[in-house]
Amino acid sequence: MLQCHPCAFIGSTGEKSLDDKIRQLADQVCDNRDADLLAEMLINAVRTSRGSVTDGDFRTMNRVLKELRVADEVFAPYRSYRKVSIYGSARTNPDEEEYKAAVDFASKMRDAGFMTITGAGPGIMAAGNEGAGRDDSFGLNINLPFEAVPNAYISGDPKLIGFDYFFTRKLSFVKEGDAVVAFPGGFGTMDEIFETLTLIQTGKVSIYPLVLIDAPGGTYWKFWQQFVDEHLMRLNLISRTDFSLFKVTDDVDEAVEEISRFYSNFHSYRYVGDKLVIRLIKPPSEDLLRKLKNEFSDVLKSGSFTATEPLPAEEDEPELSHLPRIVFRHGRKDFGRLRELIDVLNE
């Protein structure tokens, strides 16, 4: 997810004495700005309990918070590992080529240093967990009247998480994944990839690879791309540069290379005001800065591209302080062009 900071406004329960108690409790539990966040959460909980919400809504809000907390606790020890989220049909059988391709892909991504996140169910989800192996797998299981039993490759594992709500499950996929891969699937797969594209296209999440994989010789995603081109693009409902936000292939090795190459020099980015700070593995050369200036001036709000040390606002991420940076004022639009810029950084 993109870096953000809490606002200074905390709010009030309407009772100063209760506000003071909440503030005191928050200061005892947390420090610095985390105490402000905790105080705001406690005040919101109190106001919700006294508000117009029904008992059912109140229970739903509590369940949502609990699901997010549990997911964060499971992922926390593995935050330093890159992860790829795998989507696809729950109905794909192990003898089908798509299943075999998913096993092969997850296995090769494990060898490339990536862990795998799946929906923990059967079909492509089971293939992803099988290929990655139990030690390098996560399962985000959704409780449904059907297809709710975790597959054998993740069942019983402490990295298996249960969700009642699709949106909390999706949030965990988005927060924790460094890349998304989709094999052929139904409505759920369409929902997941279109949401991924929407979040990246609108800048609500950081850009990361989205690869759509057919079995060798398959046409599922090829026809999907044809639909996007002939209808969405033809009607000017999307931009041509949006096609840079995803890749369609029927070659597992090409998919692995697409994701690995994305992180070959690019590390991450965050916004500091209107400045975009891109962290790299290797310091940018003068030739690279000139190339960015010549080819990507359209992504600038003003100014130019500058190599720099960490900005003061990045002090909350000391583990990244050693990485070289490129900083520029970003117009926060046309994120397909920003993806093309990242590809140049990786050349």
Side-chain angles (χ1 to χ4, degrees):
M1 297 288 284
L2 292 179
Q3 281 285 339
C4 60
H5 296 281
C7 62
F9 176 74
I10 295 177
S12 172
T13 63
E15 299 178 25
K16 185 179 184 307
S17 60
L18 182 54
D19 291 347
D20 291 342
K21 291 178 181 178
I22 288 174
R23 181 75 244 188
Q24 183 179 18
L25 175 61
D27 288 338
Q28 290 175 351
V29 175
C30 298
D31 56 15
N32 301 325
R33 61 181 187 153
D34 288 340
D36 292 339
L37 284 170
L38 178 57
E40 187 172 14
M41 291 176 71
L42 293 171
I43 287 171
N44 282 329
V46 170
R47 293 189 62 168
T48 299
S49 70
R50 295 176 171 179
S52 59
V53 299
T54 64
D55 289 344
D57 287 339
F58 199 22
R59 285 193 292 270
T60 296
M61 293 178 190
N62 180 60
R63 180 65 186 177
V64 167
L65 184 61
K66 181 179 179 181
E67 288 189 358
L68 295 177
R69 174 188 62 79
V70 170
D72 276 353
E73 289 175 351
V74 172
F75 278 105
Y78 304 94
R79 287 273 155 72
S80 62
Y81 296 89
R82 295 285 189 190
K83 306 173 191 69
V84 57
S85 298
I86 297 180
Y87 301 134
S89 176
R91 306 182 186 190
T92 304
N93 295 317
D95 59 349
E96 296 183 56
E97 292 304 314
E98 289 79 5
Y99 187 103
K100 297 174 184 176
V103 172
D104 187 29
F105 170 79
S107 174
K108 289 179 176 177
M109 287 307 302
R110 178 198 61 209
D111 295 342
F114 285 73
M115 301 182 78
T116 289
I117 309 172
T118 80
I124 294 298
M125 295 174 279
N129 292 134
E130 179 182 353
R134 183 175 290 266
D135 289 345
D136 291 289
S137 285
F138 293 87
L140 310 186
N141 192 48
I142 186 72
N143 297 322
L144 297 172
F146 57 92
E147 295 177 355
V149 178
N151 65 69
Y153 305 102
I154 195 66
S155 180
D157 194 277
K159 301 189 299 304
L160 172 65
I161 310 167
F163 293 86
D164 281 336
Y165 304 112
F166 273 109
F167 71 92
T168 52
R169 180 180 184 239
K170 285 181 180 179
L171 181 56
S172 292
F173 272 117
V174 170
K175 283 174 71 276
E176 305 300 340
D178 298 286
V180 166
V181 163
F183 289 85
F187 292 146
T189 302
M190 291 291 104
D191 174 57
E192 287 155 345
I193 65 161
F194 274 119
E195 179 162 24
T196 298
L197 280 169
T198 301
L199 291 171
I200 297 175
Q201 182 204 47
T202 56
K204 299 300 288 184
V205 300
S206 295
I207 294 170
Y208 52 77
L210 169 61
V211 187
L212 311 175
I213 306 178
D214 276 316
T219 59
Y220 181 96
W221 292 117
K222 292 181 178 66
F223 281 124
W224 176 89
Q225 185 171 11
Q226 181 179 339
F227 162 78
V228 172
D229 194 12
E230 294 181 358
H231 295 276
L232 303 186
M233 185 63 215
R234 180 178 60 84
L235 297 174
N236 294 317
L237 301 176
I238 61 173
S239 302
R240 177 55 62 185
T241 52
D242 289 332
F243 285 82
S244 296
L245 300 177
F246 64 89
K247 183 179 185 63
V248 172
T249 182
D250 64 354
D251 186 329
V252 165
D253 291 329
E254 185 178 15
V256 173
E257 173 63 19
E258 172 77 4
I259 296 171
S260 299
R261 185 174 61 248
F262 184 84
Y263 293 106
S264 60
N265 186 36
F266 169 81
H267 182 277
S268 58
Y269 67 78
R270 68 179 285 184
Y271 287 94
V272 177
D274 66 347
K275 294 179 179 178
L276 181 60
V277 184
I278 298 182
R279 283 79 72 104
L280 303 172
I281 307 300
K282 297 172 289 188
S285 66
E286 290 298 324
D287 287 343
L288 175 59
L289 292 173
R290 278 194 294 270
K291 184 172 185 177
L292 296 182
K293 182 178 179 180
N294 291 334
E295 298 182 10
F296 292 95
S297 60
D298 56 301
V299 307
L300 297 171
K301 180 179 179 182
S302 62
S304 189
F305 302 93
T306 306
T308 183
E309 298 294 320
L311 302 186
E314 297 181 90
E315 291 178 354
D316 59 344
E317 295 180 283
E319 70 279 7
L320 303 181
S321 62
H322 65 288
L323 296 175
R325 267 97 165 141
I326 290 177
V327 177
F328 59 95
R329 286 184 164 85
H330 184 224
R332 295 206 184 206
K333 59 182 180 180
D334 198 348
F335 286 87
R337 281 292 284 157
L338 184 57
R339 168 60 200 263
E340 292 169 5
L341 185 152
I342 291 173
D343 288 342
V344 168
L345 297 178
N346 287 320
E347 290 178 356

